[in-house]
Amino acid sequence: MNNKYWYKDMVFYQIWPRSFKDGNGDGMGDLYGVYEKLDYIQSLGCDGIWFSPLYPSPGVDCGYDISDYLDIAEEFGGMEAFEKVLDGAHKRGMKVIMDLVVNHTSTEHEWFKKSRQRIEPYTDYYIWRPAKPNGKLPNNWDSLFEGKAWQWDDVRKEYYMHLFAIEQADLNMDNPLVREEVKKVLKFWLDKGVDGFREDVITFISKKEGLPDDYIMPASKGFNYFNHGPHLHEYLEEFKRDVFSKYDCMTLAEAPMVTPKKALQYIDESNEPVLDMMIQFASQEADCFFSDYSHLPFSLRKLKRAYTLWQTGLEGKAWNMLYIENHDHPRIVSRYGSDAYRAESAKMLAVSYLFLKGTPFVYQGQEIGMTNWYPKDPSLYEDVQTIWQYEHVATNKSDEKRLQRLWFGSRDSARTPVQWSDEKHAGFTTAEPWFHVNENYKEVNVARQEKEEDSVLNFYRKAIQLRKQLSCVRDGIYQEYNKYSSKLFTYSMTDDKQRILVVCSFSDKNENWKVPSGFDLSQAELILNNYKDTDTTQLKPYETRVYLMK
Ligand code: NOJ
């Protein structure tokens, strides 16, 4: 049976390899560790895995700086270990998608080394520009990670563009040879049997002709000139036509600042889509503006607007990708929930998105309600973006304020090793771990939650199982209630056979609740909840319920 929409029935698990599980005792997560945990991932009800980059890399941006697209890093076990994992996953009926990072390569990539020496055919593989006559940079664009988007290269005597770290040079996708290279990479992995790709900042691959100065954006200058650039659709169409259309695979595009209207230009199923799904950022912006570092108080109304916009915006036309966590944002319990009500809020947050229409992704550790990490010493952070932020932004603030910016803004908050048990280093490794383990591992860990029937872990299992059983989640129509409430998120999903009512309290206090009109709870079955006693007029802190109407 060949169902081209297989991903619509699935739940994916995201593995950020360095911190998932160390299987060979060197302190770094690897594919041996993943192999050991395949049954665990399957036991969650997840039937797909997205791997953050596994390729050889100097590790400046934890693997998103690739030095060889056609191999697996030795530190993760090399190709042999990957093939074993791929096979193990497929034997269990699970799909595997890779991260495709082709906006940039590492400056350690052979292409870059040759390009900086003007060795053909690599001379124009990257975006090189001479300095302006007045000695100024080629334009005023900002890097999203460190300073300006240009770095002088002493070998070539020109600047190259880097929208991310200095060691991540942007590829010149306008060069047809570069696009051929990308297609070779895609074919290589698809022929190996992978089931698709999550495409890293793919909306940045086409830059506006002439690379003009940006006089509009106050910060992140250039953003509107490299996001959704002039040839983006054309290049994606080419990848689809020449490669993806020949395989049974799925594509998921990371798309900062995308709106549903824009997304439909790429994923409208009735209009020759060039991608299958897009990763929107709106649901990650309910406590910040654009970047996690511009922290604001959490606004449930902002979050609900994002969900409603995407649920209604794609309805009947395209498919949503659903997530509340990944490796680029601090832990969701510490952001939209509460560390004080950790278990309650982790369960409520699970329900808040797992019953929406789309394909959900669960990020490693999310399923046990891992929280942020609050180090006292800023030098413990590893992430390139975090270090730059600490050294260059808000430097006039007090030490305490500067540290707090990192706690609530840094990607490292979600990159501490997965807490497997209460043993040393949380059972992640027997050696010295490459990165700090969150101090709360004795209380928050998989082994303990396996034993507790009402743990966050078992709640996730139940919620995922239920979502898969309910046709109205996959095929139904979303409707929101209590739209103006800043504490409650209430929605229903309805198809021609079924209707569910989902209630989520984002409050740390008791809240009065009025059952939305049209729902008679005496005719409903409570199929999921995070408190034993339920009161139809009041919700407890971070209470959540799912009712199946009869
Ligand atoms: C988005 C990825 O998710 C992030 O981790 C990475 O640093 C940037 N793209 C650059 O590749």
Side-chain angles (χ1 to χ4, degrees), residues 373-415:
W373 165 65
Y374 304 102
K376 299 278 177 295
D377 177 358
S379 74
L380 294 175
Y381 284 90
E382 288 275 340
D383 171 36
V384 55
Q385 183 193 31
T386 308
I387 293 169
W388 198 87
Q389 283 280 333
Y390 187 73
E391 287 172 358
H392 296 91
V393 187
T395 48
N396 57 347
K397 298 256 176 354
S398 66
D399 289 352
E400 198 189 332
K401 283 249 156 53
R402 290 178 70 199
L403 194 60
Q404 277 177 8
R405 273 190 92 240
L406 304 192
W407 289 349
F408 302 112
S410 171
R411 310 189 293 177
D412 278 345
S413 299
R415 294 178 172 188

mmCIF file of all heavy atoms in Angstrom, residues 373-415:
data_model
loop_
_atom_site.group_PDB
_atom_site.id
_atom_site.type_symbol
_atom_site.label_atom_id
_atom_site.label_comp_id
_atom_site.label_asym_id
_atom_site.label_seq_id
_atom_site.Cartn_x
_atom_site.Cartn_y
_atom_site.Cartn_z
ATOM 1 N N TRP A 373 17.594 24.596 32.702
ATOM 2 C CA TRP A 373 18.754 24.401 33.569
ATOM 3 C C TRP A 373 19.182 25.802 34.002
ATOM 4 O O TRP A 373 19.133 26.724 33.193
ATOM 5 C CB TRP A 373 19.767 23.713 32.655
ATOM 6 C CG TRP A 373 21.181 23.645 33.040
ATOM 7 C CD1 TRP A 373 21.699 22.966 34.101
ATOM 8 C CD2 TRP A 373 22.286 24.195 32.309
ATOM 9 N NE1 TRP A 373 23.064 23.055 34.063
ATOM 10 C CE2 TRP A 373 23.449 23.803 32.976
ATOM 11 C CE3 TRP A 373 22.420 24.966 31.153
ATOM 12 C CZ2 TRP A 373 24.720 24.173 32.543
ATOM 13 C CZ3 TRP A 373 23.679 25.320 30.717
ATOM 14 C CH2 TRP A 373 24.811 24.927 31.398
ATOM 15 N N TYR A 374 19.523 25.968 35.277
ATOM 16 C CA TYR A 374 19.782 27.318 35.789
ATOM 17 C C TYR A 374 21.187 27.427 36.379
ATOM 18 O O TYR A 374 21.349 27.544 37.593
ATOM 19 C CB TYR A 374 18.742 27.686 36.849
ATOM 20 C CG TYR A 374 17.308 27.563 36.334
ATOM 21 C CD1 TYR A 374 16.512 26.462 36.677
ATOM 22 C CD2 TYR A 374 16.773 28.532 35.497
ATOM 23 C CE1 TYR A 374 15.210 26.338 36.185
ATOM 24 C CE2 TYR A 374 15.472 28.411 35.008
ATOM 25 C CZ TYR A 374 14.701 27.308 35.356
ATOM 26 O OH TYR A 374 13.433 27.198 34.872
ATOM 27 N N PRO A 375 22.220 27.366 35.536
ATOM 28 C CA PRO A 375 23.587 27.424 36.078
ATOM 29 C C PRO A 375 23.897 28.800 36.666
ATOM 30 O O PRO A 375 23.348 29.810 36.210
ATOM 31 C CB PRO A 375 24.446 27.170 34.836
ATOM 32 C CG PRO A 375 23.626 27.644 33.707
ATOM 33 C CD PRO A 375 22.206 27.371 34.067
ATOM 34 N N LYS A 376 24.776 28.818 37.644
ATOM 35 C CA LYS A 376 25.155 30.105 38.257
ATOM 36 C C LYS A 376 26.331 30.731 37.502
ATOM 37 O O LYS A 376 26.643 31.889 37.677
ATOM 38 C CB LYS A 376 25.572 29.896 39.723
ATOM 39 C CG LYS A 376 24.472 29.325 40.607
ATOM 40 C CD LYS A 376 23.533 30.432 41.075
ATOM 41 C CE LYS A 376 22.367 29.928 41.900
ATOM 42 N NZ LYS A 376 21.434 29.064 41.180
ATOM 43 N N ASP A 377 26.976 29.899 36.683
ATOM 44 C CA ASP A 377 28.205 30.356 36.051
ATOM 45 C C ASP A 377 28.027 30.436 34.523
ATOM 46 O O ASP A 377 27.878 29.412 33.860
ATOM 47 C CB ASP A 377 29.308 29.337 36.413
ATOM 48 C CG ASP A 377 30.627 29.665 35.750
ATOM 49 O OD1 ASP A 377 30.686 30.650 34.987
ATOM 50 O OD2 ASP A 377 31.586 28.915 35.990
ATOM 51 N N PRO A 378 28.045 31.650 33.959
ATOM 52 C CA PRO A 378 27.792 31.779 32.513
ATOM 53 C C PRO A 378 28.819 31.055 31.645
ATOM 54 O O PRO A 378 28.528 30.716 30.498
ATOM 55 C CB PRO A 378 27.851 33.287 32.260
ATOM 56 C CG PRO A 378 28.428 33.894 33.488
ATOM 57 C CD PRO A 378 28.266 32.943 34.611
ATOM 58 N N SER A 379 29.993 30.755 32.205
ATOM 59 C CA SER A 379 31.009 30.091 31.369
ATOM 60 C C SER A 379 30.656 28.628 31.109
ATOM 61 O O SER A 379 31.307 27.957 30.311
ATOM 62 C CB SER A 379 32.390 30.204 32.015
ATOM 63 O OG SER A 379 32.461 29.337 33.113
ATOM 64 N N LEU A 380 29.608 28.119 31.752
ATOM 65 C CA LEU A 380 29.216 26.722 31.506
ATOM 66 C C LEU A 380 28.445 26.550 30.187
ATOM 67 O O LEU A 380 28.254 25.446 29.710
ATOM 68 C CB LEU A 380 28.351 26.198 32.649
ATOM 69 C CG LEU A 380 29.071 26.067 34.003
ATOM 70 C CD1 LEU A 380 28.098 25.667 35.096
ATOM 71 C CD2 LEU A 380 30.200 25.057 33.895
ATOM 72 N N TYR A 381 27.980 27.670 29.623
ATOM 73 C CA TYR A 381 27.226 27.557 28.363
ATOM 74 C C TYR A 381 28.162 27.199 27.210
ATOM 75 O O TYR A 381 29.314 27.628 27.183
ATOM 76 C CB TYR A 381 26.485 28.868 28.066
ATOM 77 C CG TYR A 381 25.256 29.025 28.926
ATOM 78 C CD1 TYR A 381 25.331 29.657 30.166
ATOM 79 C CD2 TYR A 381 24.035 28.531 28.510
ATOM 80 C CE1 TYR A 381 24.208 29.781 30.973
ATOM 81 C CE2 TYR A 381 22.906 28.660 29.309
ATOM 82 C CZ TYR A 381 22.996 29.277 30.533
ATOM 83 O OH TYR A 381 21.884 29.397 31.324
ATOM 84 N N GLU A 382 27.644 26.429 26.265
ATOM 85 C CA GLU A 382 28.430 25.919 25.138
ATOM 86 C C GLU A 382 28.006 26.526 23.808
ATOM 87 O O GLU A 382 28.769 26.588 22.874
ATOM 88 C CB GLU A 382 28.188 24.397 24.992
ATOM 89 C CG GLU A 382 28.827 23.555 26.050
ATOM 90 C CD GLU A 382 30.275 23.240 25.711
ATOM 91 O OE1 GLU A 382 30.650 23.336 24.530
ATOM 92 O OE2 GLU A 382 31.023 22.927 26.642
ATOM 93 N N ASP A 383 26.735 26.903 23.712
ATOM 94 C CA ASP A 383 26.161 27.286 22.424
ATOM 95 C C ASP A 383 26.754 28.592 21.881
ATOM 96 O O ASP A 383 26.828 29.597 22.599
ATOM 97 C CB ASP A 383 24.642 27.427 22.617
ATOM 98 C CG ASP A 383 23.969 28.039 21.416
ATOM 99 O OD1 ASP A 383 24.406 27.753 20.289
ATOM 100 O OD2 ASP A 383 23.013 28.828 21.608
ATOM 101 N N VAL A 384 27.131 28.568 20.613
ATOM 102 C CA VAL A 384 27.780 29.709 19.968
ATOM 103 C C VAL A 384 26.918 30.979 20.042
ATOM 104 O O VAL A 384 27.412 32.079 20.302
ATOM 105 C CB VAL A 384 28.167 29.342 18.503
ATOM 106 C CG1 VAL A 384 26.980 28.840 17.693
ATOM 107 C CG2 VAL A 384 28.825 30.486 17.765
ATOM 108 N N GLN A 385 25.616 30.825 19.836
ATOM 109 C CA GLN A 385 24.727 31.986 19.875
ATOM 110 C C GLN A 385 24.648 32.551 21.296
ATOM 111 O O GLN A 385 24.684 33.753 21.523
ATOM 112 C CB GLN A 385 23.326 31.573 19.400
ATOM 113 C CG GLN A 385 22.346 32.716 19.329
ATOM 114 C CD GLN A 385 20.900 32.230 19.159
ATOM 115 O OE1 GLN A 385 20.531 31.157 19.627
ATOM 116 N NE2 GLN A 385 20.103 33.017 18.482
ATOM 117 N N THR A 386 24.556 31.642 22.266
ATOM 118 C CA THR A 386 24.447 32.050 23.670
ATOM 119 C C THR A 386 25.694 32.824 24.090
ATOM 120 O O THR A 386 25.607 33.874 24.748
ATOM 121 C CB THR A 386 24.321 30.794 24.566
ATOM 122 O OG1 THR A 386 23.269 29.986 24.062
ATOM 123 C CG2 THR A 386 24.066 31.162 26.008
ATOM 124 N N ILE A 387 26.850 32.320 23.701
ATOM 125 C CA ILE A 387 28.100 32.963 24.114
ATOM 126 C C ILE A 387 28.188 34.372 23.517
ATOM 127 O O ILE A 387 28.525 35.337 24.198
ATOM 128 C CB ILE A 387 29.306 32.072 23.719
ATOM 129 C CG1 ILE A 387 29.257 30.794 24.563
ATOM 130 C CG2 ILE A 387 30.636 32.809 23.884
ATOM 131 C CD1 ILE A 387 30.198 29.691 24.126
ATOM 132 N N TRP A 388 27.772 34.498 22.281
ATOM 133 C CA TRP A 388 27.814 35.823 21.653
ATOM 134 C C TRP A 388 26.834 36.770 22.344
ATOM 135 O O TRP A 388 27.158 37.924 22.625
ATOM 136 C CB TRP A 388 27.497 35.712 20.153
ATOM 137 C CG TRP A 388 27.945 36.946 19.428
ATOM 138 C CD1 TRP A 388 29.179 37.196 18.898
ATOM 139 C CD2 TRP A 388 27.167 38.128 19.200
ATOM 140 N NE1 TRP A 388 29.216 38.442 18.346
ATOM 141 C CE2 TRP A 388 28.004 39.041 18.516
ATOM 142 C CE3 TRP A 388 25.856 38.498 19.504
ATOM 143 C CZ2 TRP A 388 27.558 40.304 18.123
ATOM 144 C CZ3 TRP A 388 25.415 39.760 19.120
ATOM 145 C CH2 TRP A 388 26.268 40.635 18.439
ATOM 146 N N GLN A 389 25.652 36.259 22.620
ATOM 147 C CA GLN A 389 24.653 37.076 23.309
ATOM 148 C C GLN A 389 25.198 37.562 24.652
ATOM 149 O O GLN A 389 25.047 38.725 25.009
ATOM 150 C CB GLN A 389 23.371 36.252 23.547
ATOM 151 C CG GLN A 389 22.512 36.073 22.324
ATOM 152 C CD GLN A 389 21.655 37.293 22.028
ATOM 153 O OE1 GLN A 389 21.306 38.062 22.917
ATOM 154 N NE2 GLN A 389 21.331 37.486 20.762
ATOM 155 N N TYR A 390 25.829 36.680 25.373
ATOM 156 C CA TYR A 390 26.336 37.041 26.697
ATOM 157 C C TYR A 390 27.429 38.100 26.596
ATOM 158 O O TYR A 390 27.456 39.066 27.347
ATOM 159 C CB TYR A 390 26.874 35.798 27.422
ATOM 160 C CG TYR A 390 27.242 36.116 28.849
ATOM 161 C CD1 TYR A 390 26.248 36.329 29.806
ATOM 162 C CD2 TYR A 390 28.578 36.256 29.225
ATOM 163 C CE1 TYR A 390 26.571 36.667 31.109
ATOM 164 C CE2 TYR A 390 28.910 36.592 30.530
ATOM 165 C CZ TYR A 390 27.899 36.793 31.469
ATOM 166 O OH TYR A 390 28.219 37.136 32.749
ATOM 167 N N GLU A 391 28.294 37.921 25.616
ATOM 168 C CA GLU A 391 29.441 38.830 25.510
ATOM 169 C C GLU A 391 29.111 40.177 24.883
ATOM 170 O O GLU A 391 29.806 41.151 25.122
ATOM 171 C CB GLU A 391 30.567 38.154 24.708
ATOM 172 C CG GLU A 391 31.235 37.068 25.541
ATOM 173 C CD GLU A 391 32.228 36.238 24.743
ATOM 174 O OE1 GLU A 391 32.365 36.486 23.519
ATOM 175 O OE2 GLU A 391 32.842 35.346 25.340
ATOM 176 N N HIS A 392 28.044 40.217 24.065
ATOM 177 C CA HIS A 392 27.806 41.456 23.305
ATOM 178 C C HIS A 392 26.472 42.144 23.544
ATOM 179 O O HIS A 392 26.308 43.276 23.128
ATOM 180 C CB HIS A 392 27.938 41.185 21.799
ATOM 181 C CG HIS A 392 29.307 40.765 21.408
ATOM 182 N ND1 HIS A 392 29.696 39.457 21.377
ATOM 183 C CD2 HIS A 392 30.399 41.487 21.070
ATOM 184 C CE1 HIS A 392 30.960 39.388 21.015
ATOM 185 N NE2 HIS A 392 31.412 40.606 20.825
ATOM 186 N N VAL A 393 25.501 41.462 24.114
ATOM 187 C CA VAL A 393 24.178 42.086 24.245
ATOM 188 C C VAL A 393 23.847 42.271 25.725
ATOM 189 O O VAL A 393 24.197 41.423 26.554
ATOM 190 C CB VAL A 393 23.085 41.220 23.553
ATOM 191 C CG1 VAL A 393 21.742 41.939 23.545
ATOM 192 C CG2 VAL A 393 23.498 40.865 22.124
ATOM 193 N N ALA A 394 23.199 43.387 26.022
ATOM 194 C CA ALA A 394 22.777 43.702 27.392
ATOM 195 C C ALA A 394 23.944 43.672 28.375
ATOM 196 O O ALA A 394 23.777 43.313 29.545
ATOM 197 C CB ALA A 394 21.664 42.741 27.835
ATOM 198 N N THR A 395 25.100 44.079 27.918
ATOM 199 C CA THR A 395 26.294 43.996 28.779
ATOM 200 C C THR A 395 26.268 45.050 29.894
ATOM 201 O O THR A 395 27.021 44.951 30.858
ATOM 202 C CB THR A 395 27.584 44.167 27.954
ATOM 203 O OG1 THR A 395 27.412 45.305 27.115
ATOM 204 C CG2 THR A 395 27.882 42.956 27.097
ATOM 205 N N ASN A 396 25.395 46.045 29.749
ATOM 206 C CA ASN A 396 25.311 47.061 30.811
ATOM 207 C C ASN A 396 24.398 46.631 31.961
ATOM 208 O O ASN A 396 24.286 47.300 32.969
ATOM 209 C CB ASN A 396 24.816 48.394 30.216
ATOM 210 C CG ASN A 396 23.471 48.231 29.531
ATOM 211 O OD1 ASN A 396 23.027 47.099 29.282
ATOM 212 N ND2 ASN A 396 22.804 49.337 29.224
ATOM 213 N N LYS A 397 23.739 45.493 31.816
ATOM 214 C CA LYS A 397 22.819 45.006 32.864
ATOM 215 C C LYS A 397 23.617 44.346 34.001
ATOM 216 O O LYS A 397 24.795 44.001 33.828
ATOM 217 C CB LYS A 397 21.843 43.988 32.266
ATOM 218 C CG LYS A 397 20.948 44.551 31.174
ATOM 219 C CD LYS A 397 19.583 44.767 31.724
ATOM 220 C CE LYS A 397 18.531 45.400 30.895
ATOM 221 N NZ LYS A 397 18.659 45.959 29.650
ATOM 222 N N SER A 398 22.933 44.134 35.129
ATOM 223 C CA SER A 398 23.615 43.499 36.275
ATOM 224 C C SER A 398 23.967 42.050 35.915
ATOM 225 O O SER A 398 23.347 41.451 35.018
ATOM 226 C CB SER A 398 22.696 43.502 37.486
ATOM 227 O OG SER A 398 21.589 42.659 37.222
ATOM 228 N N ASP A 399 24.932 41.487 36.642
ATOM 229 C CA ASP A 399 25.333 40.094 36.385
ATOM 230 C C ASP A 399 24.126 39.166 36.472
ATOM 231 O O ASP A 399 23.972 38.243 35.670
ATOM 232 C CB ASP A 399 26.375 39.628 37.406
ATOM 233 C CG ASP A 399 27.705 40.311 37.149
ATOM 234 O OD1 ASP A 399 27.820 40.987 36.107
ATOM 235 O OD2 ASP A 399 28.605 40.183 38.006
ATOM 236 N N GLU A 400 23.273 39.460 37.467
ATOM 237 C CA GLU A 400 22.105 38.600 37.673
ATOM 238 C C GLU A 400 21.174 38.642 36.450
ATOM 239 O O GLU A 400 20.718 37.616 35.957
ATOM 240 C CB GLU A 400 21.380 39.107 38.909
ATOM 241 C CG GLU A 400 20.439 38.111 39.502
ATOM 242 C CD GLU A 400 19.600 38.764 40.582
ATOM 243 O OE1 GLU A 400 20.067 39.738 41.211
ATOM 244 O OE2 GLU A 400 18.453 38.291 40.753
ATOM 245 N N LYS A 401 20.918 39.867 35.968
ATOM 246 C CA LYS A 401 20.028 40.022 34.800
ATOM 247 C C LYS A 401 20.635 39.349 33.565
ATOM 248 O O LYS A 401 19.944 38.722 32.766
ATOM 249 C CB LYS A 401 19.817 41.512 34.494
ATOM 250 C CG LYS A 401 18.850 42.172 35.424
ATOM 251 C CD LYS A 401 17.559 42.549 34.678
ATOM 252 C CE LYS A 401 16.352 42.675 35.576
ATOM 253 N NZ LYS A 401 16.514 43.564 36.712
ATOM 254 N N ARG A 402 21.938 39.476 33.424
ATOM 255 C CA ARG A 402 22.599 38.879 32.242
ATOM 256 C C ARG A 402 22.493 37.355 32.282
ATOM 257 O O ARG A 402 22.284 36.703 31.263
ATOM 258 C CB ARG A 402 24.069 39.303 32.189
ATOM 259 C CG ARG A 402 24.229 40.767 31.860
ATOM 260 C CD ARG A 402 25.680 41.154 31.857
ATOM 261 N NE ARG A 402 26.397 40.578 30.743
ATOM 262 C CZ ARG A 402 27.726 40.466 30.698
ATOM 263 N NH1 ARG A 402 28.461 40.872 31.684
ATOM 264 N NH2 ARG A 402 28.313 39.932 29.643
ATOM 265 N N LEU A 403 22.629 36.813 33.485
ATOM 266 C CA LEU A 403 22.526 35.361 33.621
ATOM 267 C C LEU A 403 21.087 34.906 33.340
ATOM 268 O O LEU A 403 20.844 33.916 32.648
ATOM 269 C CB LEU A 403 22.957 34.964 35.045
ATOM 270 C CG LEU A 403 23.233 33.501 35.287
ATOM 271 C CD1 LEU A 403 24.358 33.003 34.389
ATOM 272 C CD2 LEU A 403 23.635 33.279 36.751
ATOM 273 N N GLN A 404 20.141 35.691 33.848
ATOM 274 C CA GLN A 404 18.728 35.328 33.611
ATOM 275 C C GLN A 404 18.370 35.343 32.127
ATOM 276 O O GLN A 404 17.576 34.542 31.669
ATOM 277 C CB GLN A 404 17.821 36.288 34.361
ATOM 278 C CG GLN A 404 17.676 35.870 35.800
ATOM 279 C CD GLN A 404 16.844 36.848 36.589
ATOM 280 O OE1 GLN A 404 16.252 37.765 36.031
ATOM 281 N NE2 GLN A 404 16.817 36.649 37.886
ATOM 282 N N ARG A 405 18.963 36.264 31.392
ATOM 283 C CA ARG A 405 18.734 36.285 29.935
ATOM 284 C C ARG A 405 19.105 34.938 29.329
ATOM 285 O O ARG A 405 18.478 34.456 28.412
ATOM 286 C CB ARG A 405 19.601 37.371 29.263
ATOM 287 C CG ARG A 405 18.996 38.725 29.221
ATOM 288 C CD ARG A 405 19.836 39.648 28.328
ATOM 289 N NE ARG A 405 19.379 39.661 26.955
ATOM 290 C CZ ARG A 405 20.096 39.315 25.899
ATOM 291 N NH1 ARG A 405 21.328 38.899 26.037
ATOM 292 N NH2 ARG A 405 19.596 39.379 24.686
ATOM 293 N N LEU A 406 20.175 34.344 29.859
ATOM 294 C CA LEU A 406 20.597 33.052 29.328
ATOM 295 C C LEU A 406 19.651 31.942 29.784
ATOM 296 O O LEU A 406 19.252 31.093 28.973
ATOM 297 C CB LEU A 406 22.028 32.715 29.747
ATOM 298 C CG LEU A 406 23.123 33.730 29.401
ATOM 299 C CD1 LEU A 406 24.494 33.116 29.606
ATOM 300 C CD2 LEU A 406 23.020 34.229 27.969
ATOM 301 N N TRP A 407 19.286 31.965 31.043
ATOM 302 C CA TRP A 407 18.378 30.907 31.519
ATOM 303 C C TRP A 407 17.125 30.829 30.654
ATOM 304 O O TRP A 407 16.671 29.760 30.297
ATOM 305 C CB TRP A 407 17.924 31.199 32.952
ATOM 306 C CG TRP A 407 18.983 31.038 33.993
ATOM 307 C CD1 TRP A 407 20.209 30.472 33.849
ATOM 308 C CD2 TRP A 407 18.883 31.464 35.358
ATOM 309 N NE1 TRP A 407 20.884 30.512 35.035
ATOM 310 C CE2 TRP A 407 20.099 31.113 35.977
ATOM 311 C CE3 TRP A 407 17.896 32.103 36.115
ATOM 312 C CZ2 TRP A 407 20.344 31.373 37.327
ATOM 313 C CZ3 TRP A 407 18.146 32.357 37.455
ATOM 314 C CH2 TRP A 407 19.350 32.000 38.050
ATOM 315 N N PHE A 408 16.570 32.021 30.361
ATOM 316 C CA PHE A 408 15.283 32.015 29.651
ATOM 317 C C PHE A 408 15.409 32.169 28.144
ATOM 318 O O PHE A 408 14.421 32.118 27.429
ATOM 319 C CB PHE A 408 14.350 33.080 30.249
ATOM 320 C CG PHE A 408 14.118 32.854 31.713
ATOM 321 C CD1 PHE A 408 14.611 33.717 32.670
ATOM 322 C CD2 PHE A 408 13.458 31.702 32.129
ATOM 323 C CE1 PHE A 408 14.438 33.470 34.024
ATOM 324 C CE2 PHE A 408 13.280 31.440 33.483
ATOM 325 C CZ PHE A 408 13.778 32.330 34.429
ATOM 326 N N GLY A 409 16.643 32.378 27.666
ATOM 327 C CA GLY A 409 16.788 32.579 26.219
ATOM 328 C C GLY A 409 17.647 31.535 25.537
ATOM 329 O O GLY A 409 17.488 31.281 24.349
ATOM 330 N N SER A 410 18.547 30.912 26.293
ATOM 331 C CA SER A 410 19.547 30.063 25.643
ATOM 332 C C SER A 410 18.993 28.727 25.167
ATOM 333 O O SER A 410 18.233 28.063 25.860
ATOM 334 C CB SER A 410 20.688 29.780 26.620
ATOM 335 O OG SER A 410 21.541 28.797 26.059
ATOM 336 N N ARG A 411 19.494 28.318 24.010
ATOM 337 C CA ARG A 411 19.132 26.998 23.478
ATOM 338 C C ARG A 411 19.728 25.891 24.342
ATOM 339 O O ARG A 411 19.238 24.774 24.353
ATOM 340 C CB ARG A 411 19.654 26.868 22.045
ATOM 341 C CG ARG A 411 19.277 28.045 21.179
ATOM 342 C CD ARG A 411 19.603 27.831 19.741
ATOM 343 N NE ARG A 411 21.030 27.754 19.460
ATOM 344 C CZ ARG A 411 21.531 27.514 18.244
ATOM 345 N NH1 ARG A 411 20.715 27.322 17.234
ATOM 346 N NH2 ARG A 411 22.827 27.458 18.038
ATOM 347 N N ASP A 412 20.796 26.221 25.064
ATOM 348 C CA ASP A 412 21.397 25.211 25.933
ATOM 349 C C ASP A 412 20.445 24.761 27.046
ATOM 350 O O ASP A 412 20.619 23.682 27.607
ATOM 351 C CB ASP A 412 22.688 25.761 26.569
ATOM 352 C CG ASP A 412 23.882 25.640 25.627
ATOM 353 O OD1 ASP A 412 23.770 24.894 24.636
ATOM 354 O OD2 ASP A 412 24.910 26.287 25.890
ATOM 355 N N SER A 413 19.441 25.589 27.337
ATOM 356 C CA SER A 413 18.472 25.197 28.377
ATOM 357 C C SER A 413 17.766 23.899 27.999
ATOM 358 O O SER A 413 17.251 23.191 28.857
ATOM 359 C CB SER A 413 17.423 26.293 28.564
ATOM 360 O OG SER A 413 18.040 27.483 28.971
ATOM 361 N N ALA A 414 17.715 23.604 26.699
ATOM 362 C CA ALA A 414 17.030 22.383 26.253
ATOM 363 C C ALA A 414 18.019 21.347 25.725
ATOM 364 O O ALA A 414 17.620 20.384 25.081
ATOM 365 C CB ALA A 414 16.014 22.727 25.171
ATOM 366 N N ARG A 415 19.310 21.571 25.966
ATOM 367 C CA ARG A 415 20.309 20.672 25.377
ATOM 368 C C ARG A 415 21.063 19.859 26.418
ATOM 369 O O ARG A 415 22.044 19.190 26.092
ATOM 370 C CB ARG A 415 21.287 21.489 24.524
ATOM 371 C CG ARG A 415 20.599 22.097 23.320
ATOM 372 C CD ARG A 415 21.533 22.955 22.492
ATOM 373 N NE ARG A 415 20.876 23.350 21.248
ATOM 374 C CZ ARG A 415 21.478 23.974 20.259
ATOM 375 N NH1 ARG A 415 22.745 24.300 20.353
ATOM 376 N NH2 ARG A 415 20.810 24.283 19.154
#
